[in-house]
Amino acid sequence: MPSGTEMDHVPALSAADVPQALRAAAGILAKGGVASPETDASALLAHAWGIEVRELSRRRLFAEAVPAAVLTDFAELIARRGTRVPLQHLTGSAAFRRLDLLVGPGVFVPRPETELLVTELLAELERLDERLDRDGDSAPFVIDLCSGSGAIALSVAHEHPRVRVLGIEREPAALEWSLRNRERVAVGASTVDFVRGDATAVVGDRPDLRSSADVVVTNPPYVPDDARPREPEVADHDPAAALYGGAGGLEIPALIIDQAEKLLRPGGLLLMEHGEEQGAGVRELIAATASLRGARTAQDYTGRDRFTVARRTGDDR
């Protein structure tokens, strides 16, 4: 962790220009172990200045002076980021696909790899659109279990012209973030609702949802209880309820798979995110169900197993 003297470097640059301020800040972040010090320094200076990163790049090119008040705010942000407070908590937002979502303490910060889960879901909705248009049915219905910030639910509704999405979240703080994001995101003719509920027992609480969903999507907690995440941003700041999935990591996902089977209509699709070493375990859990079949695991941007899909067969249960 940077010392107090190191934290003083930035505010001491009362006449610093943009390149000088960014170099000093990136050095502090690098000493603190931040993985992307230059990128984070730019994001925080832009945030402190109330401008876009693109505009900051222009001011950097021309070595513009940083106002003293901006420099002071920037120094405070760098000091906190140096202690590994998540960048998104400092800026108050997280980019996810086409959205800029509000995030902060109490909610899981959405990750880029989850964007691929949405891509797969949107492809399924395109296939459904052909059938629904042909049969004259209503808009497809998606249930998002463990909906967190609303990243998946809102992205799907924002990018698809006609879908109904229900997000179910147990933790009150996370639910509050999703409701705030719902107020900010344009979804056109689609609809999104967020409700409080336990994803491991939703059918018992909401029997009306049985066999109703065309798609069930979930990014559940799946970290083993005794496996502390390597990054302090995750271990110290993401809520434990969004991380830990039981002694082996798959206990909560197993319960959610059981619920998803009951929520899906025949032919409906389950999409579940999981850890890079859990693909085989998730496929085994799916194979043990009465009606989920065809489990397939897909990879993330780095080629690691990241989510598994399966389809419900048979008649209504």
Side-chain angles (χ1 to χ4, degrees), residues 113-131:
E113 54 265 27
T114 305
E115 295 179 356
L116 297 174
L117 196 68
V118 175
T119 298
E120 185 87 16
L121 199 164
L122 289 168
E124 173 68 7
L125 293 181
E126 289 182 8
R127 292 188 288 268
L128 280 169
D129 283 343
E130 296 178 4
R131 177 183 65 79

Side-chain angles (χ1 to χ4, degrees), residues 232-285:
E233 292 88 343
V234 178
D236 298 336
H237 296 280
D238 275 330
L243 293 178
Y244 299 105
L250 290 180
E251 284 78 1
I252 290 179
L255 295 173
I256 292 177
I257 287 171
D258 174 72
Q259 294 295 297
E261 183 184 20
K262 296 177 172 68
L263 292 167
L264 287 166
R265 63 162 182 79
L269 191 71
L270 166 67
L271 302 96
M272 172 175 279
E273 184 167 325
H274 50 71
E276 62 188 74
E277 298 178 352
Q278 294 175 329
V282 170
R283 293 194 300 272
E284 289 177 6
L285 291 171

Side-chain angles (χ1 to χ4, degrees), residues 11-313:
L13 296 174
S14 57
D17 59 32
V18 174
Q20 290 172 331
L22 290 176
R23 281 195 299 271
I28 291 171
L29 297 184
K31 290 179 181 178
V34 173
S36 52
E38 292 84 6
T39 299
D40 287 18
S42 293
L44 291 173
L45 182 53
H47 178 69
W49 215 334
I51 60 176
E52 298 293 329
V53 172
R54 182 184 308 175
E55 172 60 18
L56 179 68
S57 297
R58 187 194 67 81
R59 298 184 187 188
R60 181 176 188 170
L61 180 64
F62 291 100
E64 291 190 16
V66 182
V70 172
L71 208 56
T72 298
D73 291 345
F74 180 47
E76 294 175 358
L77 291 169
I78 290 298
R80 296 183 65 197
R81 184 70 185 105
T83 64
R84 308 300 291 274
V85 174
L87 174 68
Q88 296 85 354
H89 285 197
L90 298 173
T91 62
S93 66
F96 187 83
R97 291 182 69 91
R98 302 177 185 177
L99 303 180
D100 192 38
L101 298 168
L102 299 176
V103 296
V107 71
F108 184 80
V109 175
R111 308 296 200 262
E113 54 265 27
T114 305
E115 295 179 356
L116 297 174
L117 196 68
V118 175
T119 298
E120 185 87 16
L121 199 164
L122 289 168
E124 173 68 7
L125 293 181
E126 289 182 8
R127 292 188 288 268
L128 280 169
D129 283 343
E130 296 178 4
R131 177 183 65 79
L132 294 174
D133 289 342
R134 183 177 63 248
D135 297 342
D137 290 344
S138 60
F141 180 40
V142 176
I143 297 177
D144 178 11
L145 299 177
C146 307
S147 52
S149 67
I152 294 174
L154 291 170
S155 287
V156 169
H158 180 72
E159 295 185 41
H160 191 274
R162 188 180 59 126
V163 63
R164 295 181 296 128
V165 188
L166 175 64
I168 297 177
E169 172 57 50
R170 187 186 68 182
E171 300 301 314
L175 181 61
E176 182 61 31
W177 284 107
S178 66
L179 292 171
R180 290 176 63 189
N181 282 317
R182 174 63 187 90
E183 294 176 356
R184 303 172 72 247
V185 175
V187 298
S190 296
T191 64
V192 182
D193 293 306
F194 293 108
V195 299
R196 188 178 180 191
D198 185 347
T200 68
V202 63
V203 176
D205 297 333
R206 291 285 306 271
D208 58 301
L209 294 176
R210 182 183 287 270
S211 299
S212 67
D214 294 291
V215 180
V216 172
V217 61
T218 180
N219 182 10
Y222 53 73
V223 177
D225 288 348
D226 62 353
R228 180 178 171 83
R230 292 185 296 271
E231 301 86 356
E233 292 88 343
V234 178
D236 298 336
H237 296 280
D238 275 330
L243 293 178
Y244 299 105
L250 290 180
E251 284 78 1
I252 290 179
L255 295 173
I256 292 177
I257 287 171
D258 174 72
Q259 294 295 297
E261 183 184 20
K262 296 177 172 68
L263 292 167
L264 287 166
R265 63 162 182 79
L269 191 71
L270 166 67
L271 302 96
M272 172 175 279
E273 184 167 325
H274 50 71
E276 62 188 74
E277 298 178 352
Q278 294 175 329
V282 170
R283 293 194 300 272
E284 289 177 6
L285 291 171
I286 289 171
T289 66
S291 63
L292 293 175
R293 295 292 180 265
R296 169 180 60 84
T297 298
Q299 288 69 48
D300 62 18
Y301 296 112
T302 65
R304 297 180 174 90
D305 284 357
R306 185 53 58 193
F307 66 90
T308 293
V309 302
R311 196 171 294 277
R312 188 188 159 195
T313 62

